[in-house]
Amino acid sequence: MKIINAKCPGCGALIKPNLGIGIVECEYCGSQVMFEDEEETNGLIAGEIQRKNDYDKERAKLPKAPLPKYTPWCDSGIRDHAMDWKDKSLEAAMREVTGIKKGDIMLSDVYKLTRLQLNEKGIERVDALNELVNLQSLVLESNSISSIACLTNLKNLTFLNLYKNNVTDISGIAYMPLLNDVRLDYNMVTDLTPLSELKYIERLYVYMNRVTDVSPLAGLISLRDLRIDFNPIRDISALKDLKYLESLNIQQTDIEDLTPLLKLKYLKNLHK
């Protein structure tokens, strides 16, 4: 009995059929794929389950990321002071977060924050956020930020989202060792070197930037999901040892040679 197609004809993603269903819709692009009968559909499911089990066993060998370390204000040993926001839009946004409409916002008022989301606030400078050392998640979508070089104290960050800014300098990321998920899409980044030591990162999106060299990603062995599409990249040989990579998007690049991907046995979603 023949499987008519096990990969999506629209985007090339691996189809994951449901038990007993002969026509399956691709979860990525909506294309439909037909399987001849229930027996072969179930066989493909069994293969996918085995692949996942093998994958999980292999990933279990990777070093575990340390947990973020929260420091209460009373144990910080820091002298309290009024925050100098250096950016009126950031100050206005933090007044919304704290509910402090007038007067100074003190460091002790914001020190406890572990998550911060300031989308579409017109922010240009984020220097003052460097004092919020308990932050674990920082989301700054759709602002006008050009640099995060100043963010050298955010060592507890596990999630950083800078989607749709004007970022060119990401050097502060080199001081964020626990990052697991980084979104830099729709910026003007050219140099990925600050990402090179992120040994716990599993998801990285840098699509729609100005990247030409992905060699700084060569050692990011924990990566599962990588988007480098819409960049003038030609060479992806640096990705050949990312053996846990499951999803890779290289659409709208200058990449022609895909042989570096041949040994990536767990790569199931390749968008090109």
Side-chain angles (χ1 to χ4, degrees):
M1 300 180 181
K2 179 185 176 185
I3 296 177
I4 295 176
N5 199 343
K7 284 194 174 182
C8 175
C11 67
L14 179 67
I15 297 297
K16 300 176 185 177
N18 297 316
L19 223 68
I21 297 178
I23 298 179
V24 182
E25 185 173 287
C26 175
E27 61 183 300
Y28 297 95
C29 71
S31 299
Q32 290 190 331
V33 180
M34 183 169 66
F35 296 88
E36 200 162 89
D37 61 22
E38 180 178 333
E39 179 183 346
E40 293 196 55
T41 302
N42 295 346
L44 192 59
I45 291 172
E48 173 62 15
I49 291 173
Q50 183 61 52
R51 188 209 68 83
K52 186 178 185 306
N53 288 340
D54 292 344
Y55 180 80
D56 290 343
K57 286 179 183 178
E58 285 292 311
R59 280 199 70 91
K61 300 174 185 177
L62 290 171
K64 299 293 187 293
L67 293 174
K69 185 178 180 181
Y70 180 82
T71 304
W73 174 251
C74 59
D75 295 334
S76 68
I78 299 173
R79 176 181 250 179
D80 205 6
H81 58 268
M83 294 295 294
D84 180 7
W85 298 107
K86 295 180 169 45
D87 184 293
K88 290 182 178 180
S89 296
L90 177 58
E91 179 178 354
M94 292 305 295
R95 289 193 181 281
E96 290 180 19
V97 169
T98 61
I100 300 173
K101 297 181 179 180
K102 296 181 179 180
D104 290 334
I105 299 176
M106 306 300 289
L107 176 58
S108 57
D109 294 322
V110 292
Y111 190 81
K112 63 184 178 182
L113 292 174
T114 59
R115 296 176 179 274
L116 189 59
Q117 181 169 325
L118 304 174
N119 297 343
E120 299 180 342
K121 302 296 184 182
I123 298 167
E124 296 182 6
R125 296 185 61 179
V126 292
D127 308 49
L129 300 183
N130 198 41
E131 295 195 75
L132 308 188
V133 298
N134 283 314
L135 281 179
Q136 297 174 27
S137 174
L138 179 58
V139 181
L140 298 166
E141 290 188 6
S142 302
N143 285 289
S144 301
I145 300 162
S146 61
S147 173
I148 57 166
C150 54
L151 301 182
T152 57
N153 290 328
L154 305 187
K155 301 184 186 304
N156 284 309
L157 270 190
T158 60
F159 179 55
L160 176 63
N161 188 341
L162 292 166
Y163 168 83
K164 209 171 185 181
N165 277 272
N166 301 317
V167 177
T168 56
D169 186 345
I170 59 169
S171 56
I173 286 179
Y175 300 91
M176 304 172 186
L178 301 187
L179 280 173
N180 172 272
D181 190 335
V182 177
R183 315 290 177 89
L184 299 172
D185 22 321
Y186 284 90
N187 281 286
M188 294 184 286
V189 176
T190 58
D191 184 9
L192 298 181
T193 302
L195 300 166
S196 62
E197 299 298 324
L198 298 182
K199 61 182 179 180
Y200 305 116
I201 191 168
E202 296 187 10
R203 178 177 289 109
L204 174 61
Y205 290 176
V206 290
Y207 62 90
M208 291 294 293
N209 277 275
R210 299 176 181 178
V211 175
T212 58
D213 180 16
V214 295
S215 60
L217 309 183
L220 305 186
I221 192 65
S222 293
L223 269 178
R224 293 174 179 261
D225 184 6
L226 176 61
R227 289 197 62 173
I228 53 175
D229 41 317
F230 292 89
N231 282 285
I233 299 166
R234 292 181 179 275
D235 182 9
I236 54 170
S237 57
L239 307 184
K240 64 183 176 61
D241 294 322
L242 301 185
K243 64 179 183 178
Y244 298 111
L245 200 60
E246 291 186 289
S247 181
L248 174 63
N249 194 321
I250 55 173
Q251 295 181 95
Q252 296 298 314
T253 62
D254 298 322
I255 298 164
E256 295 182 359
D257 182 11
L258 299 181
T259 55
L261 307 179
L262 293 178
K263 292 184 179 180
L264 302 184
K265 64 179 181 179
Y266 296 117
L267 184 62
K268 58 182 180 177
N269 296 320
L270 175 60
H271 305 278
K272 56 185 177 61

